[in-house]
Amino acid sequence: MKRQVLYILFAVMLLSVSGCGYNTMQANEEAVKAAWGDVEAAYQRRNDLVPNLVEVVKAYAKHERETLTAVTEARAKVGSIQMSKDMINNPQAFEQFQQAQGALSSALSRLMVVVERYPDLKANQNFRDLQNQLEGTENRINVARVRYNKAVETFNTSIRIFPNSLTNSLMLHLKLKEPFKAEAGAEKAPKVQF
C-alpha cells in the first residue's frame, strides 16, 4: 500500500514538473537569442557591403559628396556601437542601436535619390549589382527583425502565462525582451523630390 502511494505521489510530482513550462521558457529564450543573432548577421552584411557601395558611387558621383559623407558617417556611428546579446535586455542600448541603424537607413535612402537623379550612374553594371545587393540586404534585415519580434512575442507570452509565470517568478527570473519598434514618423510615406 505504501509503495502505491509513493508511485502515485511520484507520478503527480512528475506531471506537475512537466507542466511548469521550465523547458518551454528556456527553449523560447534560446529562440530569441538565435533570432537576435540573425538580426546581427543581417546588419553585419550591410556594414560590410556599404563601404564597397560608397567606393563605387564615389567614382561616379563626385558632385554628391555630402550624401556620401552622410552614409560614411552613419555607418561609422553604427560600427561604433557594440552589438551583443545583452543589448536585448537593455532598453537604452537597444534604442541607441535602433537610432544608429535608422540614421544609416536614412542616409542610404538619400543615396538612392542621387541614383535616380543621375541616370548615367545606373548604367554602370557594378553599381547596379551593389544596389541590388543593398536592397536584398535591407530585405534580409527586415525579415530578421520580423522573426526576432515573433520570437520575442513567443518568449514574452511563455513567461507571462500560468503556470509558467509561477515557475519564472520562483526559479528563472527571466525578464521580458524588447521587440523592434518603428522609428518615429515611420507611419508617414517619405517624399521623394527631384
Side-chain angles (χ1 to χ4, degrees):
M1 181 70 170
K2 285 185 179 183
R3 201 172 235 177
Q4 286 177 332
V5 171
L6 285 176
Y7 287 140
I8 292 171
L9 189 57
F10 180 73
V12 168
M13 286 177 47
L14 187 60
L15 287 173
S16 67
V17 169
S18 68
C20 72
Y22 182 88
N23 290 336
T24 300
M25 289 184 285
Q26 296 291 340
N28 290 343
E29 186 174 39
E30 289 305 314
V32 168
K33 290 176 184 177
W36 179 250
D38 292 344
V39 170
E40 287 179 326
Y43 279 133
Q44 185 61 51
R45 183 179 191 277
R46 179 168 73 176
N47 287 340
D48 293 343
L49 180 64
V50 168
N52 296 325
L53 177 61
V54 169
E55 288 305 312
V56 170
V57 173
K58 275 184 181 178
Y60 292 95
K62 292 179 183 176
H63 52 284
E64 288 295 333
R65 293 231 184 260
E66 181 180 329
T67 301
L68 298 175
T69 300
V71 170
T72 304
E73 290 172 354
R75 184 194 173 272
K77 187 172 183 179
V78 165
S80 70
I81 297 175
Q82 296 291 359
M83 292 189 294
S84 70
K85 298 213 182 306
D86 296 332
M87 188 177 288
I88 60 178
N89 294 319
N90 183 340
Q92 292 83 14
F94 194 86
E95 178 67 24
Q96 183 183 15
F97 176 78
Q98 201 168 355
Q99 286 175 351
Q101 292 295 339
L104 181 55
S105 293
S106 175
L108 291 171
S109 295
R110 289 193 308 269
L111 180 61
M112 293 306 163
V113 169
V114 169
V115 173
E116 295 299 325
R117 273 193 205 152
Y118 302 99
D120 58 311
L121 292 178
K122 291 193 298 185
N124 182 287
Q125 187 60 42
N126 290 336
F127 181 79
R128 263 194 259 150
D129 291 346
L130 287 169
Q131 186 177 10
N132 289 336
Q133 288 180 21
L134 182 60
E135 182 179 350
T137 298
E138 293 300 316
N139 288 336
R140 285 183 180 115
I141 289 170
N142 186 52
V143 168
R145 283 177 171 177
V146 168
R147 288 180 181 161
Y148 171 78
N149 282 352
K150 184 64 181 164
V152 166
E153 176 189 6
T154 300
F155 172 77
N156 287 348
T157 301
S158 76
I159 68 171
R160 295 182 66 211
I161 60 173
F162 185 82
N164 296 6
S165 58
L166 290 176
T167 303
N168 187 41
S169 64
L170 296 173
M171 297 173 67
L172 297 172
H173 309 289
L174 300 172
K175 304 275 188 234
L176 293 173
K177 305 294 184 197
E178 284 291 317
F180 273 98
K181 298 176 185 111
E183 295 175 30
E187 69 279 359
K188 297 176 185 167
K191 293 181 182 178
V192 179
Q193 296 177 343
F194 298 102

